Amino acid sequence: MITIDISDKNGVLASFPAASGQRLLQAGLAAGLGLPHECATGTCGNCKATVVSGEVRRLWPNAPGAKVCRNPAETLLCQSAADGPVALTLRAAFTPPCDPPCAVMRGTLSRTRVLTPEISSFTVTLDDPIAYKPGQFVLISGLDVNGPRAYSMTEHQPQKSELSFLIRKDPAGAFTGALFNDSSTSHEVSVFGPLGRATFSSDEDRPFIAIAGGSGIAGVLAILDHALAKDHFEKHPSHIFFGLRDAESGYLLDELSSAVVRSERRLRVTVAFSNVPCSAELAARYPSLDFAGGFVHDVVRASFDAGSSSGLAQMKSPLFFVAGPPIMVNATLRVLVAERRISPTEIRYDRFG
Ligand SMILES: Cc1cc2nc3c(=O)[nH]c(=O)nc-3n(C[C@H](O)[C@H](O)[C@H](O)COP(=O)(O)OP(=O)(O)OC[C@H]3O[C@@H](n4cnc5c(N)ncnc54)[C@H](O)[C@@H]3O)c2cc1C
Ligand code: FES
């Protein structure tokens, strides 16, 4: 083990042990240190640190998040490792540590259900159960692909050794390419987590509006699972917006429809098709769901503008969840923050990229 010394922008000092070659973000988080991060996979740039002494290895020099590193001493902690002692400084302050604590685990990844040619459900079976919050994600590494990938759990129970995921195949993607090409077999994987602060607890005692684009629905499903188990909608009617391209690429409509019925319609689910309007036949098949045409952020805007009939504008102190591709999350944040003047502190989001 080597020792990594790190100070934050306020001059607070901390040290943590790391194995040679271990990702510094993961080593620090596993040691209980609150290192700033968002994606944990090299895209957001939030884990930037400056090397003051010693040397780090850049595990993915061309990571999209590395564009925030403007001088050679700057590096992304999630894409850096060391083979000897290193001293670093952060541009940000330490954050609260991971809650629940995170760790490295071994697991077996298997496909459980094909939902569409692009989307399947998978499970990772761990040796021991772990605790995580609804809305959290883990990092999965394996299949001989460089680097970990983040996936949000789709179910929630207080302790689980079988984690469920909804994974979308990226036609040009390294990990999902390998996974979907060989998804009949099980794969030994390394799992790191749980991570993520876009979480929900019914103890918060307030309604929520969740806006998901495509596989962004994954973490929302865990939030829904928890909310139904706690009868959350009885006191706090809530609303999920689910953006899809068209009915052909649609999935989970049966499950979402059942959730609306189970909540006695205190939960509303609006499915937004961006490419093709919903057919009368589909609307008739799912009378519990609302359907709309357009990008999901435009449908959310229209629902606010619709005033009392939509219920959105009258909802008292809702918490917002946004998840999906970065372009969809950014467009939705613009609607919520810039147009509707909703405080960013009321919005929790995960950009899937
Ligand atoms: C917080 C979060 C939660 C997510 N949840 C889900 C989910 O529930 N379901 C889902 O389908 N997708 C989810 N994603 C997206 C997912 O993590 C992957 O980006 C996606 O599956 C595509 O992976 P890929 O390997 O096929 O594509 P690629 O384009 O090959 O890789 C995508 C990502 O992998 C990492 N990466 C790529 N190359 C390297 C490398 N050489 N070294 C290190 N890292 C590399 C980067 O983060 C890159 O953006 C989530 C993403 C985030 C950030
Ligand atoms: S946390 Fe390292 S780039 Fe996002």
Side-chain angles (χ1 to χ4, degrees), residues 105-111 122-127 161-163 165 185-191:
M105 295 154 279
R106 302 293 314 169
T108 308
L109 172 64
S110 328
R111 175 139 80 167
F122 290 83
T123 56
V124 169
T125 307
L126 303 170
D127 292 339
S161 53
E162 195 163 272
L163 308 182
F165 302 95
T185 48
S186 295
H187 306 273
E188 294 305 306
V189 291
S190 166
V191 177

Side-chain angles (χ1 to χ4, degrees), residues 116 118-119 166 168 212-217 241-253 256 269-277 282 289 291-297 299 328:
T116 72
E118 280 182 345
I119 301 266
L166 190 74
R168 189 182 77 83
S215 56
I217 196 74
F241 290 85
F242 182 24
L244 290 166
R245 281 201 308 273
D246 49 38
E248 277 69 51
S249 63
Y251 46 93
L252 295 173
L253 300 189
L256 290 169
V269 174
T270 300
V271 181
F273 291 125
S274 59
N275 291 6
V276 181
L282 191 74
L289 302 178
F291 291 93
F295 288 115
V296 69
H297 66 278
V299 171
M328 169 265 157

Side-chain angles (χ1 to χ4, degrees), residues 114-242:
V114 176
L115 295 166
T116 72
E118 280 182 345
I119 301 266
S120 286
S121 306
F122 290 83
T123 56
V124 169
T125 307
L126 303 170
D127 292 339
D128 297 304
I130 63 162
Y132 62 89
K133 295 181 181 173
Q136 284 196 299
F137 65 93
V138 292
L139 303 181
I140 300 181
S141 316
L143 287 93
D144 293 326
V145 172
N146 281 337
R149 302 294 188 268
Y151 294 106
S152 310
M153 281 70 83
T154 55
E155 292 175 3
H156 185 261
Q157 279 164 29
Q159 289 275 328
K160 284 206 79 169
S161 53
E162 195 163 272
L163 308 182
S164 310
F165 302 95
L166 190 74
I167 301 185
R168 189 182 77 83
K169 180 181 177 180
D170 179 336
F175 186 83
T176 56
L179 186 60
F180 279 73
N181 284 346
D182 185 15
S183 55
S184 55
T185 48
S186 295
H187 306 273
E188 294 305 306
V189 291
S190 166
V191 177
F192 182 84
L195 297 173
R197 296 207 163 87
T199 62
F200 171 71
S201 165
S202 60
D203 293 343
E204 289 180 271
D205 217 11
R206 51 197 289 207
F208 66 80
I209 297 173
I211 305 152
S215 56
I217 196 74
V220 174
L221 291 177
I223 289 171
L224 176 58
D225 199 16
H226 170 78
L228 285 170
K230 298 282 181 185
D231 289 331
H232 187 76
F233 302 122
E234 203 171 299
K235 200 163 154 206
H236 298 296
S238 298
H239 202 140
I240 294 174
F241 290 85
F242 182 24

Side-chain angles (χ1 to χ4, degrees), residues 321-353:
F321 292 93
V322 188
I327 193 168
M328 169 265 157
V329 172
N330 295 343
T332 305
L333 293 179
R334 272 196 300 276
V335 171
L336 298 180
V337 179
E339 296 177 24
R340 301 300 312 183
R341 303 277 171 212
I342 291 160
S343 163
T345 58
E346 304 302 290
I347 307 170
R348 301 174 190 174
Y349 60 88
D350 275 328
R351 288 191 187 96
F352 280 19

